[in-house]
Amino acid sequence: MLFLGYPYKAASNPVFYVKLALIGLGLALAVKIRAAVLAAPAPDMNRARRLASASLGAWGGAILAGRLLAYTFTWLRVGVPGGF
């Protein structure tokens, strides 16, 4: 939805790509947690804690990157300072 509203704003902002990467990492960790912890008959609790910490870090980073998007853009629309 962010990309549809202002595509030039999102495409010119590296924080947008960081946010997408962190969301992808969070989803991959969720799949890994489901397979290694929830579906295992006797899960390794140390691994479960590491995966949970990494997942919380990824989602927290995605939230932080989303909040920073408002302050780190270079273009809002085509034709505004510097043109395109």
Side-chain angles (χ1 to χ4, degrees), residues 21-33 37 45-63:
L22 287 170
I23 290 172
L25 177 64
L27 291 173
L29 285 168
V31 170
K32 189 173 276 200
I33 288 170
V37 178
M45 293 313 290
N46 288 328
R47 183 172 186 210
R49 285 187 186 105
R50 286 193 311 268
L51 286 171
S53 297
S55 179
L56 285 173
W59 290 112
I63 291 169

Side-chain angles (χ1 to χ4, degrees), residues 8-18 65 68-74:
Y8 296 107
K9 178 181 174 183
S12 66
N13 194 344
V15 178
F16 180 73
Y17 298 110
V18 170
L68 291 175
L69 280 174
Y71 309 109
T72 59
F73 66 90
T74 55

